[in-house]
Structures are given as C-alpha cells and as structure tokens.
C-alpha cells in the first residue's frame, strides 16, 4: 500500500520546507492549486484534446478575496497542468463564478469559422452590484480579452450570479441559467450570440429553499437501461442547512423545453447531490465529444462553514474526483447516479483481492494505506452494523459503514484527527440506502486527507475531508451483530498524479 510521505529535512538546525505536493494533508490524485485559496470550479469545457478547469482563486493569499479565475488543463481529468491566472480582478470588479463554451458556430463573432473562440461567461462582482460579463480567447484559453460591451446582463441586483451557459439545439440558441440567491430561484435567459440576452423564465423556490441558491447547472442525462431516454437535471447549490450541515448541492429532475424547466417531483421534495459535508458548487463539463457521451461533474471539496480555516498550507482547498453521471429508475422515482470517472482506474497499482472473508479475518490482515481505492461487497447476514475504519491508528480513525437498523450508509469523522478549527467538523454524516437483498456495495476513495464514498452502485455519494496524523494508515474491519461476510474485497494503491513517486 502507499505509505505516508516522509518530508525532506535539511540541516539539524531547522527542517527544510515540505516538497511541493508532498506537504501534510496534500491530496495526491485530486486537483489543488500550487498555493493560495481556491473555491468553486468554473468554466468547465473540453476543447482541442484538453479538459479546462477554471476555479475561483485568490492569487495573493490562502483565504477568500481578490476573486479571479485560476486555470489548469488536463488530457485525462487526472493529470493537471497549471496555467497562468486567466481572468483577473480588475477596476474594482472581482471575477465570480461562471462557465465557458466553445462557440463552434462563431455566433459571437469573436473568432472565425476555422478558429472558433472559447467564451467565458462570469459574474462581475462589486460590494453593491453583480452583473453578467463575457470574455473570449482564440488561443485555446491561454489568453483572454474581456468584452468591451460588458456587462451583458445587468438587473441592478446586489445578488445575481454564477451563470451556466450551453447551446440548446432544439431552440437554436444559447441558454443561460443564473441564480438570484436571495429569492431562492434561478433565471433562464436565451441568446443568439452570447451578447444579447432575453429573459425566458424563472424556477423556484422549490426543494431546499431556506438558504441562498448559488452555482446552478442544467443538462440532460440518460436513464440507465432505457436506450435513448433522457430527462433534464437542474443542480442548485445552497449556502447552508444542506444534507450534512453548512453548504451543499441539491438537484431536480424534470423537463426543459428551451424556455421553462418543470420539476417532475413535488416542490417540497429535496434530493441531495452528495450527503457528505464537503461537496459544493458542483458543475459539469461542456463540449465533451458525442463519441465519449459522458456528463462529468466535479465539486469544490470543502464547506463554507470552515473552508477558510482548514489546516493546510501553502494552499487551501481542493476539488473532488470527477464523476460520471446518469439517472436510475428507483421505486421513489428517477435518481442521480454517480461513479468516479473511469480515468481513476488508470492510477491503480497492483491490487490485493480477497473473497469470502469474515470481518475478524479481514481485520487480521493488517492492511494499511492512505492513498487507495477500496471496493467491497458485504453480505450482512443479520448484522446490525458493519464498519471499515481507514486512516486509523490508536483511537484515531475515519469510519465508513452501513447501519442496518437505521437503513443508512455513513462516514463518521468524529475521531478522524484535527477538527478543532470548527465545532461542526467532527461529525457523522449519513445517507439513506436500502439493502433489500442483504447485500451492501461500497466503493471508497481515500487520499491523504479525504474520503469519498459511493454506495449502492453509485446511487449514494458522501464526500468528507479529514485531517489525520500522517502515521494513521491502518484499515480496520468490525461489526455489531450477525455474521457478515466480505464476499469480495479489492484494494488498489493509487498513483500520485503530481509526478511524485509513492513512498
């Protein structure tokens, strides 16, 4: 298994600075900036063989401020190349969240038919006003020009932000979905050229609406097992009172006709994208080739409750592992399904695999690691609770498991390590999950200071940051009641994506 990094030391008088991307708590296969603050993913677009990831960034410090768009590109969603800041705070206007598109038809006139422009659509922020702006690039996103006619939408509102834009073939126009946070709704606008926008409709408040609405996204998704069938999904993130407390994301399933989104479910029903504490501002990539066919989501791996105080340096915050999405028919209706993108499997090293182990035998294996994937199928056999503790040593551990008496899957980080930076951090987070056949399937991604759990073949996701002692690397197995069996267990060490060898 992958062992914890040993930080280089210099002379005996004082230790040298940690090596970049080997600092304490630095995630090894998740995106994080080299230094300073990061929050929402922005401008996700695929163009000319590259996945672009822009993100909210403070170039000058490791706390929120001076919002600009940081920028990185990747050929495979795993290995990222840092690029210079793309859109900088300027003239008293911060660059808040937004999206980017490849204008293949050159509707904007910023490029040519042979060299279509990339166009970024973002919120310009001041203390008293938020408006929608655009900028363009004709060199694969390496340099950007802000449109001279900005702003392209100005409602005179203090809170009006986070535009997500896409081309809608059926209505032959660009569609923007943008949040009006204080009113707990989103607006839809249409445009022929990304410059002139017409109001189409509004949606909300529905679902979770007792906190601000931010960072919307709208896209069609295929329904598993129904060839060609799709429904539309609207993601809306909320600033507090989410599934695990603090910030989080909800989604709606319904229809979109080029003007209006209609929710399939009762307006009071709440569906959570992720039931952990640390998944916010989730947004999907645009312009992924039809030959690929995936809708890929990524989220900010943090929570506004404590984001500015997590114990990392010289950077603060990371992004989740990208996830491929679909819809699944359940007795309760259509529900979102999430799986880590297949590119994660390219990081796998030689696995350890087992079958038919009871929990005592599994615990006796003495498995260790802090950078791995674990897949387990568990036959409950009357167990009230089954648990897999990771990043463990002594009393310190992060516990993942299934509680049959409650009918929930959970991550318990109450003893996970450092957590005194916020009184809500050390907590247990749950998600409902049925096990009618007495079988529970868990897929777990662990990375130095994070745990991402996908259960029920992707039907449930929980994402939590944790900050354990670097020596806490044991993997433990325990249960209460019954005679549970690990019918299958596979553990893969995962390679670092930052060019750092495993130690």
């Amino acid at each position: 298994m992958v062992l914890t990094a040993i930080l280089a030391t210099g002379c005996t008088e004082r230790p040298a600075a940690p090596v970049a991307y080997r600092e304490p708590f630095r995630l090894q296969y998740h995106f994080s900036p080299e230094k300073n603050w990061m929050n929402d993913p922005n401008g996700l677009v695929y163009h000319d063989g590259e996945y672009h990831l822009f993100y909210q960034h403070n170039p000058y410090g490791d706390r929120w401020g001076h919002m600009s768009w940081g920028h990185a590109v990747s050929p495979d969603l795993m290995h990222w190349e840092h690029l210079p800041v793309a859109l900088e705070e300027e003239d008293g206007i911060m660059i808040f969240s937004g999206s980017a598109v490849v204008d293949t038809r050159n509707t904007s006139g910023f490029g040519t038919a042979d060299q279509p422009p990339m166009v970024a659509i973002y919120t310009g922020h001041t203390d008293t006003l938020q408006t929608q702006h655009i900028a363009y690039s004709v060199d694969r996103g390496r340099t950007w020009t802000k449109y001279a006619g900005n702003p392209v939408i100005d409602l005179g509102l203090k809170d009006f932000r986070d535009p997500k834009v896409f081309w809608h073939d059926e209505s032959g126009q660009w569609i923007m979905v943008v949040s009006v946070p204080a009113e707990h709704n989103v607006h839809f606008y249409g445009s022929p050229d990304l410059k002139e926008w017409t109001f189409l409709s509004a949606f909300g408040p529905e679902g979770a609406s007792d906190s601000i609405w931010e960072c919307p996204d709208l896209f069609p998704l295929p329904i598993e097992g129904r060839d060609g069938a799709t429904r539309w999904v609207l993601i809306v993130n909320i600033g507090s009172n989410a599934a695990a407390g603090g910030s989080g994301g909800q989604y709606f399933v319904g229809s979109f006709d080029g003007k209006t989104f209609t929710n399939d479910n009762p307006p009071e029903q709440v569906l959570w994208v992720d039931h952990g504490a640390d998944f916010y501002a989730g947004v999907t990539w645009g312009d992924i080739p039809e030959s690929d066919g995936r809708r890929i989501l990524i989220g900010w791996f943090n929570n506004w409750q404590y984001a500015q105080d997590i114990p990392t340096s010289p950077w603060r915050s990371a992004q989740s592992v990208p996830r491929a999405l679909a819809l699944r028919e359940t007795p309760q209706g259509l529900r979102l399904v999430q799986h880590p993108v297949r590119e994660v499997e390219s990081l796998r090293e030689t696995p350890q695999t087992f079958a038919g182990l009871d929990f005592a035998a599994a615990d006796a294996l003495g498995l260790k690691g802090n950078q791995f994937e674990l897949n387990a199928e568990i036959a409950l056999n009357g167990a009230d609770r089954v648990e897999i503790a990771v990043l463990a040593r002594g009393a310190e551990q992060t516990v993942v498991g299934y509680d049959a008496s409650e009918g929930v899957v959970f991550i318990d980080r109450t003893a996970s390590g450092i957590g005194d930076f916020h009184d809500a951090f050390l907590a247990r987070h749950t998600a409902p999950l049925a096990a009618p056949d007495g079988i529970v399937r868990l897929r777990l991604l662990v990375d130095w200071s994070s745990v991402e759990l996908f259960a029920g073949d992707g039907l449930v996701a929980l994402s939590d940051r944790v900050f354990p002692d670097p020596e806490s690397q044991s993997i433990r197995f325990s249960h209460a009641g019954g005679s549970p069996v690990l019918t299958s267990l596979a553990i893969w060490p995962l390679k670092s994506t930052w060019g750092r060898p495993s130690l």
Side-chain angles (χ1 to χ4, degrees):
M1 300 297 290
V2 177
L3 300 181
T4 302
I6 301 172
L7 300 181
T9 58
C11 64
T12 56
E13 294 182 2
R14 65 176 183 175
V19 177
Y21 285 90
R22 301 299 279 186
E23 305 96 340
F25 308 127
R26 176 72 86 162
L27 299 180
Q28 293 299 297
Y29 57 90
H30 293 74
F31 179 82
S32 59
E34 291 182 289
K35 62 180 181 179
N36 296 333
W37 170 265
M38 175 180 71
N39 56 287
D40 306 353
N42 295 155
L44 305 184
V45 68
Y46 181 87
H47 180 51
D48 198 18
E50 294 178 323
Y51 294 93
H52 289 260
L53 168 62
F54 301 89
Y55 53 91
Q56 291 286 278
H57 183 51
N58 180 358
Y60 307 109
D62 63 1
R63 297 174 72 85
W64 187 94
H66 300 288
M67 285 294 95
S68 303
W69 273 24
H71 189 194
V73 293
S74 173
D76 62 0
L77 294 165
M78 295 287 108
H79 299 83
W80 294 95
E81 175 190 354
H82 295 292
L83 295 177
V85 172
L87 296 172
E88 297 188 54
E89 174 191 30
E90 190 175 23
D91 299 327
I93 299 176
M94 290 191 196
I95 313 298
F96 267 32
S97 290
S99 52
V101 298
V102 179
D103 185 9
T104 55
R105 301 165 185 81
N106 194 33
T107 63
S108 63
F110 293 143
T112 66
D114 295 331
Q115 191 176 31
M118 290 177 61
V119 180
I121 309 95
Y122 62 92
T123 296
H125 167 86
T126 71
D127 289 342
T128 59
L129 184 66
Q130 291 184 344
T131 51
Q132 310 319 314
H133 297 234
I134 60 176
Y136 61 92
S137 171
V138 292
D139 59 1
R140 300 169 56 241
R142 269 53 180 181
T143 60
W144 291 83
T145 301
K146 294 174 182 174
Y147 176 47
N150 282 330
V152 295
I153 307 179
D154 181 358
L155 301 185
L157 295 176
K158 182 180 179 180
D159 293 297
F160 174 52
R161 57 183 176 267
D162 312 331
K164 178 63 188 288
V165 171
F166 62 94
W167 180 261
H168 187 248
D169 275 329
E170 290 77 5
S171 61
Q173 63 181 333
W174 296 102
I175 298 293
M176 177 193 295
V177 53
V178 59
S179 65
V180 187
E183 297 178 11
H184 311 117
N185 67 30
V186 295
H187 285 184
F188 298 94
Y189 292 85
S191 173
D193 59 5
L194 297 166
K195 300 172 184 176
E196 301 293 330
W197 293 90
T198 301
F199 176 78
L200 300 174
S201 67
F203 173 80
E206 295 191 19
S209 57
D210 58 352
S211 179
I212 59 170
W213 281 22
E214 296 186 309
C215 303
D217 196 359
L218 177 68
F219 48 87
L221 270 188
I223 301 171
E224 290 181 340
R226 290 176 53 185
D227 190 31
T230 63
R231 292 300 278 171
W232 286 79
V233 171
L234 173 64
I235 290 178
V236 178
N237 291 269
I238 64 170
S240 61
N241 301 319
S247 51
Q250 64 178 320
Y251 70 96
F252 304 90
V253 179
S255 60
F256 180 69
D257 62 4
K259 180 178 180 180
T260 302
F261 176 82
T262 303
N263 184 12
D264 285 348
N265 295 303
E268 67 276 8
Q269 185 165 29
V270 180
L271 302 175
W272 298 111
V273 176
D274 192 294
H275 289 257
D278 295 307
F279 191 91
Y280 190 65
V283 68
T284 63
W285 265 273
D287 291 291
I288 293 177
E290 289 186 10
S291 58
D292 183 305
R294 290 180 295 175
R295 175 64 57 169
I296 298 173
L297 173 78
I298 195 170
W300 181 43
F301 211 170
N302 216 329
N303 190 306
W304 276 118
Q305 283 185 317
Y306 44 72
Q308 300 195 76
D309 299 313
I310 62 173
T312 64
S313 180
W315 87 104
R316 193 167 269 129
S317 285
Q319 304 293 348
S320 73
V321 161
R323 307 170 177 189
L325 305 181
L327 289 169
R328 179 179 299 164
E329 290 183 297
T330 75
Q332 294 75 38
L334 291 173
R335 295 294 182 266
L336 191 66
V337 175
Q338 306 173 65
H339 296 286
V341 291
R342 58 177 177 259
E343 287 83 353
V344 170
E345 298 174 15
S346 70
L347 306 180
R348 290 174 173 174
E349 298 186 307
T350 303
Q352 293 178 276
T353 59
F354 310 90
L357 288 178
D358 63 35
F359 271 57
D363 194 56
L365 293 171
L367 299 171
K368 293 181 178 292
N370 65 354
Q371 185 181 325
F372 62 88
E373 176 184 346
L374 182 154
N375 288 357
E377 181 179 276
I378 304 167
L380 294 174
N381 294 339
D384 297 319
R385 188 176 65 256
V386 291
E387 297 182 342
I388 303 173
V390 298
L391 302 172
R393 187 179 68 140
E396 186 172 283
Q397 60 183 1
T398 299
V399 181
V400 174
Y402 183 75
D403 191 317
S405 61
E406 295 182 50
V408 297
V409 65
F410 64 86
I411 297 177
D412 186 339
R413 64 181 185 188
T414 55
S416 61
I418 298 172
D420 58 0
F421 48 86
H422 193 277
D423 58 10
F425 185 81
L426 298 177
R428 178 178 183 261
H429 305 132
T430 67
L433 182 69
D437 56 358
I439 300 294
V440 175
R441 297 176 180 88
L442 307 177
R443 184 176 183 184
L444 185 63
L445 299 180
V446 174
D447 188 1
W448 287 37
S449 64
S450 72
V451 177
E452 288 163 290
L453 173 62
F454 302 87
D457 295 323
L459 193 60
V460 170
L462 294 94
S463 303
D464 276 355
R465 296 297 305 277
V466 292
F467 300 100
D469 185 284
E471 298 301 319
S472 297
Q473 298 188 33
S474 292
I475 304 172
R476 302 169 177 165
F477 299 82
S478 62
H479 71 97
S483 304
V485 172
L486 288 149
T487 54
S488 66
L489 174 66
I491 303 175
W492 293 266
L494 296 179
K495 292 177 284 190
S496 171
T497 60
W498 295 107
R500 305 297 181 190
S502 301
L503 297 180

